[in-house]
Amino acid sequence: MALLTVTGTTLVAAPAPAPVAAPTAPSPAAGSRAAGPRRPRGAVRRAAARFAARALRPVAPYRRLLAVPGARAFTVGNLIARLPMGMFGVSAVMMIAGQRGSYALAGAVTATGLAATALVGPWTARLVDRYGQARVAVPATVVAVLGSLALVLCVRTHAPDWTLFAAYAATATTPNIGGMSRARWAHLLRADAAARHTANSFEQAADELCFMLGPVLAAFLCGTLFPEAGTLVGAVLLLTGMAVFCAQRATEPPVGGAAARGAAPLRAPGMPSLLAMFLAMGAVFGSMEVVSIAFLDGHGLTSGAGPVLALQALGSCLAGLLYGTLRPAAAPRRRLVACVAAMAVLMALPLGAAATGAVPLLALALLAAGMATAPTMVTGMSLVQRLSPAGRLNEAMTLAVTALLAGISAGAATAGTAVDHLGAVPAYALPPAAALTALVLALPQLRDRATHSA
């Protein structure tokens, strides 16, 4: 026989208690669940686990990447050493202009250092390929740090101007830490193409993050502490990070040996047109930066140029991380052309936004334009790795970076002239024009037999 029992506010049927058993007190939630079946706790846990798995799915490739033995250790050193790459230029300009009162001198000194890097960088990378990362990178970094310290000393003691050029030129021996890190991933993941794609995306996102945070940190240090603070902190970070990175000998790729003395990367089939494409891409970045600064200055927002320009790097960083989770079906050469074509389209957005005169709209356009950068760079660097002769990988990637730097310089100079003669808004046509040039230069990759296996 069943009894009618009141539980909470619900009248339900319950079995009569046994004569010797004490009645069990109902749970507080029983009334609200009595009308339907109770969901098993195991089902709830499984549903939560499935939700967590879906939420963490984009992160999973990077978790597997950093689970490679030794990867986390050299990545920490890599990030510490890479951050100063975005600090040194801004720090030098603020230090020299602050102490000497001349932005023209500061710009000339940093331009000289950039030109010296373009000449010395591939030579340093060739030595890295031939003798190993630790044997070359650490001494080369010491020379570069001494150059930074000499620059601080010359500025502080009011030494002749020519000493500033000589000291900053010595920093050109700084090794290409991004190239060396990519070389380690290529060595560790040589049998896993999907993981290499994720690694290249991670490295590009790290580039964008460091070049986004570096100038902000440098400006804060120089403006808050003293003009030399940015250069000094950058030198300490560079030396510390490089020491940590090179100490991880277990993940260091083998030296090229005799192969490092073979054919130069410039002679590899398909490489000249690829490097020319990197040159045009550099012009995209250099012209966009100068034109955006001029546009914001015309609206009285000179101090806000940094955060607005950082949005472009942020868009690239986010796109790079997302791109690393994808597994594109198309061959790298076709992906490269598609990415450069997308860049040409997106780089036209700031031109339209600037024509409206709305700064918030320009900021959004720069964020969107940046989203084409990382996928293009990742795919381009992947092709550089494929086309590089055996034992010359660091040199090949440094040549690509050198082409980018040269393009940035040329794009910045051209944009400055265009702004002076045409104004900032018409000068926004330069970045999409440079992107279209990069697209034309990328087209030979589709028909180059050397890339058919890529």
Side-chain angles (χ1 to χ4, degrees):
M1 184 179 72
L3 299 178
L4 291 179
T5 305
V6 178
T7 304
T9 59
T10 307
L11 184 67
V12 297
V20 296
T24 303
S27 64
S32 60
R33 295 180 181 176
R38 178 179 298 178
R39 192 174 186 180
R41 293 183 180 179
V44 175
R45 286 195 295 267
R46 288 192 295 271
R50 287 194 297 270
F51 176 79
R54 286 194 297 269
L56 294 176
R57 191 173 299 165
V59 185
Y62 296 100
R63 293 177 61 185
R64 290 193 294 268
L65 189 70
L66 295 177
V68 174
R72 293 185 182 183
F74 82 75
T75 297
V76 169
N78 164 32
L79 294 177
I80 295 173
R82 191 178 295 193
L83 182 60
M85 299 300 103
M87 296 176 60
F88 283 130
V90 174
S91 297
V93 169
M94 294 186 70
M95 177 176 61
I96 296 171
Q99 295 289 340
R100 298 294 179 93
S102 173
Y103 278 98
L105 176 61
V109 170
T110 55
T112 300
L114 190 63
T117 300
L119 294 175
V120 177
W123 178 74
T124 304
R126 185 180 306 172
L127 293 178
V128 169
D129 284 329
R130 186 173 299 180
Y131 299 108
Q133 293 183 354
R135 291 182 62 186
V136 175
V138 173
T141 302
V142 171
V143 173
V145 167
L146 291 175
S148 295
L149 297 179
L151 178 65
V152 171
L153 184 63
C154 291
V155 172
R156 194 73 176 178
T157 59
H158 301 284
D161 290 350
W162 67 265
T163 62
L164 308 185
F165 291 91
Y168 202 68
T171 64
T173 62
T174 304
N176 179 12
I177 180 66
M180 292 194 300
S181 185
R182 288 177 173 91
R184 292 202 179 206
W185 289 121
H187 168 64
L188 295 173
L189 307 172
R190 54 191 177 277
D192 191 341
R196 288 199 308 273
H197 170 75
T198 301
N200 284 330
S201 299
F202 173 79
E203 290 296 325
Q204 186 59 39
D207 275 340
E208 301 295 345
L209 182 64
C210 291
F211 277 98
M212 181 172 60
L213 298 179
V216 176
L217 177 60
F220 172 78
L221 291 172
C222 294
T224 305
L225 301 179
F226 49 90
E228 298 85 359
T231 299
L232 293 176
V233 171
V236 171
L237 290 175
L238 175 61
L239 187 58
T240 302
M242 195 66 71
V244 172
F245 179 86
C246 292
Q248 315 308 315
R249 303 299 293 270
T251 55
E252 182 177 350
V255 297
R261 297 176 174 84
L266 276 173
R267 298 181 180 179
M271 187 68 79
S273 63
L274 191 58
L275 294 178
M277 185 210 72
F278 275 103
L279 181 70
M281 285 178 56
V284 174
F285 306 145
S287 58
M288 182 68 79
E289 181 176 359
V290 171
V291 175
S292 296
I293 291 174
F295 179 85
L296 294 170
D297 185 40
H299 285 72
L301 296 172
T302 304
S303 59
V308 173
L309 290 175
L311 289 174
Q312 186 177 352
L314 176 62
S316 180
C317 180
L318 296 176
L321 291 174
L322 177 61
Y323 189 60
T325 66
L326 305 178
R327 296 293 176 265
R333 63 186 185 277
R334 295 186 182 278
R335 294 205 309 267
L336 177 65
V337 173
C339 287
V340 178
M343 174 181 282
V345 173
L346 291 178
M347 286 298 165
L349 294 179
L351 173 61
T356 67
V359 174
L361 190 59
L362 174 66
L364 292 176
L366 289 174
L367 178 67
M371 291 181 178
T373 301
T376 305
M377 289 293 299
V378 169
T379 310
M381 281 296 185
S382 298
L383 275 178
V384 169
Q385 293 176 15
R386 290 170 179 264
L387 297 177
S388 171
R392 306 292 286 269
L393 181 56
N394 281 288
E395 183 180 355
M397 288 190 290
T398 302
L399 284 172
V401 173
T402 299
L404 275 173
L405 293 176
I408 289 172
S409 298
T414 304
T417 302
V419 167
D420 287 342
H421 290 82
L422 303 175
V425 175
Y428 264 115
L430 287 176
L436 286 174
T437 304
L439 177 61
V440 172
L441 294 170
L443 291 177
Q445 297 297 325
L446 292 177
R447 57 177 182 267
D448 196 314
R449 294 181 180 178
T451 61
H452 283 182
S453 60

